[in-house]
Amino acid sequence: MAADTSSDDRGLRKGKWAPYGLLSPGILWLVLFFLVPVMILVRTALSSKASRFANPEFSWQFSNFTSAFTDYGPQFARSFLFAGIATVSAILIGYPLAYWIATQGGRWKNLLIGLVVVPFFTSYLIRTIAWTSLLKDNGVILNTIHAIPFVPQDFRLLATPAGVIGGLTYNFLSFMILPIYVSLEKIDFRLTEAAADLYGTPWQAFKKVVLPLSMPGVFAGSLLVFIPAAGDYLNNRYLGSPKTSMIGTVVQDKFLVQFDYPVAAALSLVLMAIITTMVLIYSKFLGTEGLAV
Amino acid sequence: MTKRRISTPSPTSQADLSRRKFLGTSGLALGGLALGPALLAACSSDSSGGDASSGDNELWFENWTLYIDKPEGELYGKGGTLDSFQKASGQKIKYTEGINDNNEYFAKIQPLLSQDKPIGPDIIALTFWMAGRLTNLGWVEKLPLDKIPNSANLIESLTKPPSDPTGEYSLPWQAGMAGIAYNKSVTGRALTSVNDLFDPAFKGKIGMLLEMRDTIGLIAMSLGIDLATPTFEKFQPAFDKLQEGVDSGQIRQFTGNDYVDDLEQGSFAACIGWSGDVVQLSASNPDIGFSIPESGGTLWFDTMQIPVGASNVEGAAEWMNYVYDPVNAAKITAEVQYISPVQGVQEELRKMGGDAAALADSQLVFPDASTLATLQSWGNLDEEEEALFDAEFAKITGA
């Protein structure tokens, strides 16, 4: 045992094995729960089925990808559009809130951040279904809106794109607030005083000092909101209509109703590929150097 | 009717959670977890916690949620069906509520049954069309009908359905009807025809079921297409009509059992719905109505089947025989409020008195002969036809 320790020490000094040893649980986890499933997914996406209820057989069936690309354009487009709008809305709602908690929260900070997380104590599904009660056609919210002059009689929120986007924004909002809060919390706000000393207006100080410093949080939050939102199907299921269906709806139906595992797998891979590309472009554009949130 | 069911932490105003309602929500939730057949297979054996092979040849019945009586909320509660069966037969029974959705359950058992491996339960209770699929695939055992003499008590129209023409592979558990459910406070009148659902006055306020057979079935019947021998070609007009309804914005949404909330909240003026739900709903809200359209409604039922490789066929037969005794069947009906396949349940309910006796007069639980005559059940769809139906329906619902 003692000998082992000393050899380990030497290893550590030489920096040879220790990093791998420390990484191994993480690597093992990634291999088991990420790499292997993705490989199964790739394999399924390239399979075909002898009959509807047979198990998929690997056969280099590239046509699954063509059909994934060509048949579901509108659903893909909607997924990214809705997720994009939800992400921007989450920034617009989440940033001021995080800013306020970080700067004005004082000794209530932890409590306030705790409150942000409170909705997570309820199941995602239940929260979404609760929205159907809130937004129902003759509910309080809709009746109030209808009291405004010139609102069309058939105006509604449920079963509309606005309903789905609202649901997505609400459900993933905390994922935006938390990272932004963390990056704002780290900022030394004496920097804004320094900016004022240099004749900067509060707005300039925010734009040139605080905002750039909090960008890593915005970046992380955007990914945390956009990625799950793009693949989501529950919000459309309860708050949407056949005309607002997203790609998650298709994948779910292909897997569980139509038993078309190959095309479902191909769709999932295409979704992953598009999201990865978008994230890469986004990180190039926004930069991730300061992402040590 | 007073509510006798256990209330649930649902956000909906209805405290009751019927089996189909549970299907609608939790099926979806679980569906989200169902990443693939392998994963599903991996969790198929532990869906209920208990040990499948506990030695002394226990009988295992896997059923839908809230689909049997539970004295004081206890599945094996004293005087309940399960408890009485164990006492009467000496056969130990394990009852699990592992079925949330036909397709989801199929995805779970398919990897095992396609390799001739036993799935665990001795009896499963899938809906007739799924039962027909299992029969076609050769994944269920022939029932030992000679050991189920009480099957003579069954209502004739519920045996030997098109999905099992010889009646050798499935026996009914409970049945129900799909028809038109409406909220009078929104519609202002009772609806009696499928065409009412396409009335422009209700634009954007009409719901349809995600259950393809009920939605397409009702529309097809209104177009004079009969359901006994379905082919995709024959049903094309029904799909076209549905598509038009979606395109024009007439149809607001496709739902599972959650239509109940939309209907009660007035977001739906009317929709296609299931009789069992409306029995419960109209009890608390007199505005909610249900009608079997003039062109007829669909009759669905869940059936008991013995999957291949089941270890206790004998016990399964004993159980089926037991629940086809009207006295025992009435106990189940009093709780689940669906149509019982057993003759004589109505009289037994009257004898029980109270709420049960009131149930005996419900048209939705005991439809009269003239109503029954307008109902139709779906014939079997072969694999390829069914794939066409499912794909077309998915396209219309946006999936």
Side-chain angles (χ1 to χ4, degrees):
Chain A
M1 199 63 209
D4 277 0
T5 323
S6 71
S7 78
D8 267 352
D9 281 351
R10 222 177 309 133
L12 264 177
R13 266 197 304 280
K14 286 183 184 168
K16 231 173 154 186
W17 299 111
Y20 297 103
L22 290 170
L23 272 177
S24 61
I27 288 179
L28 197 71
W29 196 88
L30 274 180
V31 166
L32 266 182
F33 297 112
F34 179 71
L35 210 58
V36 171
V38 167
M39 276 161 65
I40 294 173
L41 206 61
V42 172
R43 202 186 142 82
T44 312
L46 292 172
S47 298
S48 58
K49 292 166 88 177
S51 65
R52 192 172 187 219
F53 305 120
N55 290 317
E57 301 286 342
F58 185 70
S59 63
W60 295 110
Q61 190 80 24
F62 281 103
S63 61
N64 293 331
F65 283 93
T66 4
S67 109
F69 261 120
T70 52
D71 297 350
Y72 300 103
Q75 282 91 342
F76 270 117
R78 270 198 295 267
S79 295
F80 294 120
L81 181 70
F82 289 1
I85 299 176
T87 309
V88 173
S89 317
I91 295 176
L92 293 179
I93 299 168
Y95 198 101
L97 185 65
Y99 188 88
W100 184 79
I101 296 177
T103 56
Q104 314 292 316
R107 63 198 179 94
W108 301 106
K109 265 184 197 173
N110 287 338
L111 177 75
L112 291 168
I113 279 299
L115 288 177
V116 168
V117 186
V118 159
F120 281 90
F121 291 117
T122 314
S123 128
Y124 173 46
L125 178 71
I126 303 282
R127 273 184 285 143
T128 309
I129 295 176
W131 265 56
T132 63
S133 307
L134 285 175
L135 300 182
K136 62 185 176 185
D137 283 11
N138 45 14
V140 180
I141 296 177
L142 257 274
N143 284 340
T144 313
I145 294 175
H146 277 297
I148 304 168
F150 307 117
V151 172
Q153 255 315 298
D154 58 353
F155 176 84
R156 61 169 199 249
L157 285 169
L158 285 179
T160 64
V164 181
I165 294 167
L168 289 171
T169 310
Y170 161 74
N171 273 311
F172 299 115
L173 186 60
S174 310
F175 293 129
M176 183 63 83
I177 296 173
L178 295 178
I180 293 181
Y181 168 78
V182 170
S183 63
L184 283 171
E185 236 269 311
K186 283 196 319 186
I187 296 175
D188 186 344
F189 275 89
R190 283 174 305 181
L191 287 171
T192 58
E193 291 166 23
D197 288 345
L198 297 168
Y199 298 103
T201 62
W203 170 245
Q204 281 172 320
F206 173 76
K207 210 175 89 179
K208 302 221 163 181
V209 179
V210 177
L211 189 61
L213 284 173
S214 62
M215 264 341 238
V218 175
F219 179 78
S222 306
L223 296 190
L224 289 175
V225 172
F226 183 82
I227 295 173
D232 184 82
Y233 68 93
L234 269 180
N235 283 284
N236 171 62
R237 165 72 175 72
Y238 287 101
L239 309 173
S241 75
K243 291 175 175 177
T244 61
S245 65
M246 295 166 71
I247 200 64
T249 319
V250 179
V251 174
Q252 192 257 356
D253 195 80
K254 285 266 176 213
F255 260 121
L256 285 179
V257 180
Q258 302 187 53
F259 297 100
D260 197 347
Y261 297 142
V263 171
L267 281 166
S268 310
L269 284 173
V270 170
L271 181 69
M272 277 169 71
I274 297 178
I275 289 181
T276 310
T277 317
M278 291 174 93
V279 167
L280 287 178
I281 295 171
Y282 184 57
S283 65
K284 185 105 187 146
F285 169 70
L286 214 69
T288 48
E289 298 88 42
L291 200 59
V293 179
Chain B
M1 258 149 279
T2 50
K3 290 172 185 166
R4 274 154 292 164
R5 294 205 174 128
I6 318 142
S7 61
T8 65
S10 146
T12 62
S13 48
Q14 281 299 99
D16 286 4
L17 188 77
S18 73
R19 136 201 169 339
R20 289 216 159 219
K21 181 175 199 105
F22 190 81
L23 176 166
T25 49
S26 55
L28 253 162
L30 291 171
L33 292 172
L35 298 171
L39 188 64
L40 285 165
C43 39
S44 67
S45 55
D46 55 22
S47 59
S48 55
D51 182 10
S53 49
S54 51
D56 49 359
N57 217 14
E58 193 181 44
L59 171 69
W60 184 1
F61 181 15
E62 184 132 82
N63 205 347
W64 300 82
T65 311
L66 299 172
Y67 218 18
I68 198 163
D69 55 318
K70 292 181 186 172
E72 332 246 303
E74 289 287 328
L75 208 44
Y76 302 92
K78 219 170 161 247
T81 303
L82 294 169
D83 176 56
S84 314
F85 168 72
Q86 295 196 127
K87 282 192 183 127
S89 65
Q91 168 69 56
K92 254 185 90 185
I93 186 166
K94 168 173 145 184
Y95 182 93
T96 54
E97 301 183 321
I99 306 177
N100 298 310
D101 176 87
N102 282 303
N103 284 313
E104 180 214 321
Y105 196 76
F106 180 82
K108 186 160 133 176
I109 62 179
Q110 182 266 349
L112 291 169
L113 286 173
S114 63
Q115 293 171 42
D116 287 328
K117 286 184 188 150
I119 58 165
D122 301 299
I123 310 174
I124 51 176
L126 297 170
T127 306
F128 71 96
W129 56 269
M130 185 56 86
R133 181 191 285 180
L134 294 185
T135 309
N136 281 353
L137 289 165
W139 292 354
V140 286
E141 302 274 8
K142 230 177 215 185
L143 299 171
L145 287 170
D146 52 322
K147 291 184 185 134
I148 314 173
N150 280 345
S151 61
N153 297 342
L154 288 169
I155 295 169
E156 205 164 322
S157 58
L158 287 175
T159 52
K160 302 188 188 172
S163 53
D164 181 16
T166 59
E168 289 169 297
Y169 295 94
S170 65
L171 281 170
W173 172 249
Q174 303 288 309
M177 301 175 282
I180 297 172
Y182 52 89
N183 186 334
K184 246 177 287 179
S185 69
V186 185
T187 60
R189 64 185 170 100
L191 305 188
T192 53
S193 123
V194 172
N195 282 328
D196 286 335
L197 296 177
F198 292 88
D199 181 341
F202 308 137
K203 190 178 166 198
K205 294 226 162 233
I206 298 297
M208 296 272 169
L209 291 173
L210 278 167
E211 183 77 35
M212 187 267 288
R213 279 172 180 77
D214 290 327
T215 296
I216 288 296
L218 281 189
I219 296 175
M221 287 166 81
S222 77
L223 298 170
I225 305 166
D226 91 285
L227 308 184
T229 52
T231 63
F232 184 61
E233 211 189 334
K234 212 164 78 174
F235 273 65
Q236 192 62 55
F239 282 111
D240 291 344
K241 183 159 184 174
L242 187 62
Q243 180 76 65
E244 266 168 49
V246 169
D247 290 343
S248 70
Q250 177 76 16
I251 294 166
R252 178 194 182 103
Q253 208 184 3
F254 287 83
T255 65
N257 216 160
D258 41 321
Y259 75 85
V260 174
D261 303 318
D262 290 304
L263 189 64
E264 210 189 14
Q265 292 163 358
S267 293
F268 284 172
C271 60
I272 294 181
W274 288 303
S275 56
D277 296 330
V278 184
V279 177
Q280 300 163 34
L281 202 55
S282 55
S284 59
N285 183 347
D287 278 336
I288 305 295
F290 182 86
S291 69
I292 300 295
E294 294 147 355
S295 48
T298 53
L299 177 70
W300 58 261
F301 45 96
D302 296 323
T303 69
M304 291 188 278
Q305 287 188 301
I306 302 178
V308 203
S311 60
N312 195 350
V313 177
E314 200 108 320
E318 204 163 342
W319 164 258
M320 292 181 193
N321 198 48
Y322 181 82
V323 294
Y324 289 154
D325 180 323
V327 179
N328 303 329
K331 232 184 318 187
I332 299 171
T333 305
E335 173 95 7
V336 304
Q337 306 183 357
Y338 279 102
I339 299 174
S340 174
V342 184
Q343 292 178 34
V345 167
Q346 200 166 14
E347 291 73 38
E348 290 304 325
L349 284 175
R350 289 217 173 92
K351 278 185 217 162
M352 286 162 79
D355 288 340
L359 203 60
D361 295 320
S362 167
Q363 263 296 311
L364 298 177
V365 183
F366 296 99
D368 54 30
S370 62
T371 311
L372 276 174
T374 66
L375 300 179
Q376 287 192 42
S377 281
W378 276 75
N380 243 2
L381 285 169
D382 68 38
E383 245 177 73
E384 279 151 48
E385 287 283 329
E386 193 181 43
L388 290 174
F389 272 80
D390 284 345
E392 182 75 7
F393 191 65
K395 216 185 332 168
I396 298 173
T397 59

